[in-house]
Amino acid sequence: MTRAKIELAYITDPGKRKATFKKRKNGLMKKISEITVLCGIDACAVVYSPDVPNKPEFWPSESGARSVISKFNGVSESEKTKKMFCQESFIRQRIDKSQEQLKKLKNENRKREISLLMCEYLTHGSNNLDSNNINYLKDFSFFTDQNLDEIRNKVTVHPAQEETPVIYSRGEQAQAQGHGTNFSRKRKLN
Amino acid sequence: MTRAKIELAYITDPGKRKATFKKRKNGLMKKISEITVLCGIDACAVVYSPDVPNKPEFWPSESGARSVISKFNGVSESEKTKKMFCQESFIRQRIDKSQEQLKKLKNENRKREISLLMCEYLTHGSNNLDSNNINYLKDFSFFTDQNLDEIRNKVTVHPAQEETPVIYSRGEQAQAQGHGTNFSRKRKLN
DNA sequence: CTGCCTATCTATAATGA
DNA sequence: TTCATTATAGATAGGCA
């Protein structure tokens, strides 16, 4: 309870000073917004918080304060801010796009890698399927399943049309030779 | 006597509005000087009086206000700009990195594509090298040259070691069959 | 207008959770 | 440290000179 009359002097106790600052800062903000609304005028306040030397706080808002201040030094800050925001979102879009493209390429790359491995295997027999290659078998079988689904789909929809790459149909053979896995089959989305 | 609770809305009566403005303006000034002294901080307010559109009033003093405002404009703006610049360059770095990775992946992808084509060609003969495939011949030969260089390099440095993929050595045959180009040869950088 | 008055409203210092 | 409380200091709307 405010028993003590405020003595208009610097508050030495840090805790008290901080508390007082917070309360009075809020009060100030309220007063400013009130006079602004009641009297239909422009007004603003700028306060440098203690312990945060370079981060002033403003009322009624930063843009509002900037608007008021720029009135008398003739600079429109809102333009700047807006411009910067646009630039930033543009850059973020570019990043997202690149990342997506990257993802696609990685997948495509993986697919081709597996196909190459298949080709190598079919050309030289199982002696090349050593411990270094065994790690590819899962993907091998997965892509084979995918290709099989694709082929069957094409055969059903366009029975006379055969565009499936040769290597992919070889992949089917390879799987038929006993390298199937329990990978779940996923339909290819065209 | 303040019998009526203040309703936070524009005061339509000019006389009342003016009176309120004057009182509240003084109160505001007092509050600002108080918080300034009590908490040892910099603060200022700028108020545009009604009927005097282009002549704002300042506290704690015009020079004081200008000092605070210039701090506000100068320091906070430059900080912001700096920060934004940092953020922007960080984002640009990410973009560059992504683009570079993209480029590498594209190249790798191309290489594998060509290898696949080689494989297909070797397996089924030249009847598959139709007009759709002819466009790949340049890259085909380019990568073959690259692979040849790589192989020769390895043979020179490690004569007993043979790790070159089979398809690549097949590529050498393919080129020997007469598909060479005038592509400049680039040494592979390990 | 300009101040002053005063009943009431508002802000807030000190305290406790 | 941050909220909620509360009693008191401070601010102020409307009236009046």
Side-chain angles (χ1 to χ4, degrees):
Chain A
M1 317 114 183
T2 170
R3 325 192 180 270
K5 248 176 162 174
I6 43 163
E7 196 191 333
L8 200 61
Y10 179 73
I11 301 171
T12 49
D13 181 60
K16 284 189 178 179
R17 190 172 62 248
K18 201 170 180 180
T20 293
F21 173 77
K22 194 174 180 181
K23 288 182 177 181
R24 283 178 174 263
K25 179 165 67 69
N26 289 332
L28 206 52
M29 172 175 74
K30 192 178 178 189
K31 289 287 182 193
I32 285 186
S33 78
E34 280 178 1
I35 198 176
T36 294
V37 172
L38 289 171
C39 306
I41 56 157
D42 281 336
C44 80
V46 180
V47 174
Y48 283 79
S49 299
D51 312 319
V52 195
N54 290 324
K55 199 173 176 301
E57 304 197 43
F58 347 75
W59 293 274
S61 66
E62 172 165 351
S63 60
R66 288 193 177 281
S67 159
V68 173
I69 288 170
S70 67
K71 243 186 187 173
F72 89 106
N73 50 24
V75 180
S76 169
E77 293 298 333
S78 62
E79 283 277 325
K80 242 186 199 169
T81 306
K82 193 177 170 186
K83 196 177 168 187
M84 292 218 207
F85 175 73
C86 286
Q87 189 187 30
E88 184 185 328
S89 40
F90 171 69
I91 291 177
R92 289 208 179 279
Q93 272 186 343
R94 276 189 60 194
I95 290 183
D96 290 347
K97 219 171 172 180
S98 287
Q99 296 291 353
E100 204 181 338
Q101 201 180 350
L102 210 59
K103 200 175 161 187
K104 277 184 186 169
L105 274 181
K106 274 182 178 171
N107 189 51
E108 200 180 340
N109 230 344
R110 186 74 181 153
K111 221 168 172 172
R112 289 207 168 109
E113 196 183 346
I114 296 303
S115 292
L116 266 183
L117 197 70
M118 286 187 202
C119 180
E120 195 178 338
Y121 166 70
L122 292 168
T123 311
H124 294 83
S126 61
N127 59 310
N128 276 354
L129 271 179
D130 58 8
S131 59
N132 291 326
N133 292 336
I134 206 75
N135 294 326
Y136 292 115
L137 282 177
K138 273 193 176 177
D139 284 348
F140 183 100
S141 127
F142 173 67
F143 281 116
T144 303
D145 283 356
Q146 213 176 50
N147 291 327
L148 263 178
D149 283 350
E150 203 176 325
I151 291 166
R152 288 187 183 119
N153 193 37
K154 282 189 175 176
V155 167
T156 306
V157 181
H158 311 286
Q161 195 176 331
E162 178 54 85
E163 287 177 342
T164 309
V166 175
I167 292 177
Y168 287 6
S169 59
R170 290 271 177 139
E172 186 177 1
Q173 288 182 17
Q175 195 195 29
Q177 285 168 11
H179 290 97
T181 72
N182 56 358
F183 253 66
S184 65
R185 297 190 178 188
K186 289 180 182 173
R187 268 286 130 217
K188 186 189 174 188
L189 7 97
N190 260 342
Chain B
M1 315 113 186
T2 169
R3 325 196 181 272
K5 249 176 163 173
I6 43 163
E7 198 191 333
L8 199 61
Y10 179 71
I11 301 171
T12 49
D13 181 58
K16 282 188 178 179
R17 189 172 62 250
K18 202 169 182 180
T20 293
F21 174 76
K22 193 174 182 179
K23 284 184 178 180
R24 281 175 174 264
K25 180 166 63 69
N26 288 333
L28 207 50
M29 174 175 70
K30 192 178 176 186
K31 287 286 185 194
I32 285 185
S33 74
E34 280 177 2
I35 197 176
T36 295
V37 172
L38 289 171
C39 305
I41 56 156
D42 281 337
C44 81
V46 180
V47 173
Y48 284 78
S49 297
D51 313 319
V52 195
N54 290 324
K55 201 174 176 301
E57 303 196 44
F58 310 90
W59 293 274
S61 67
E62 174 161 352
S63 63
R66 284 199 180 277
S67 161
V68 174
I69 287 169
S70 68
K71 206 170 167 188
F72 169 72
N73 276 329
V75 174
S76 94
E77 256 321 292
S78 66
E79 277 284 316
K80 233 187 188 173
T81 306
K82 193 178 170 189
K83 194 176 167 190
M84 281 202 169
F85 177 73
C86 286
Q87 187 188 33
E88 186 185 328
S89 40
F90 170 69
I91 292 176
R92 288 207 179 282
Q93 271 186 343
R94 276 188 59 191
I95 290 182
D96 289 347
K97 219 170 170 182
S98 287
Q99 295 292 351
E100 204 181 336
Q101 201 180 350
L102 211 58
K103 201 177 163 187
K104 278 185 186 168
L105 275 180
K106 272 182 178 171
N107 190 49
E108 201 181 338
N109 229 346
R110 187 73 180 155
K111 222 169 173 174
R112 291 207 167 108
E113 196 181 348
I114 296 304
S115 293
L116 268 182
L117 197 71
M118 285 187 201
C119 181
E120 194 178 340
Y121 168 68
L122 291 169
T123 310
H124 295 84
S126 59
N127 59 310
N128 276 354
L129 271 180
D130 57 8
S131 58
N132 291 326
N133 292 336
I134 208 75
N135 294 325
Y136 293 115
L137 284 177
K138 273 191 178 178
D139 284 348
F140 183 100
S141 120
F142 172 67
F143 281 116
T144 303
D145 284 356
Q146 217 177 45
N147 291 329
L148 263 179
D149 283 353
E150 203 177 325
I151 290 166
R152 287 185 184 120
N153 193 38
K154 280 189 176 175
V155 167
T156 306
V157 180
H158 309 287
Q161 193 174 335
E162 178 53 86
E163 287 176 343
T164 309
V166 175
I167 294 177
Y168 285 5
S169 60
R170 291 266 180 141
E172 187 177 358
Q173 288 181 16
Q175 194 196 30
Q177 287 167 8
H179 290 100
T181 71
N182 55 359
F183 254 65
S184 68
R185 298 190 178 188
K186 288 182 184 173
R187 223 144 263 281
K188 188 191 174 190
L189 6 98
N190 263 338

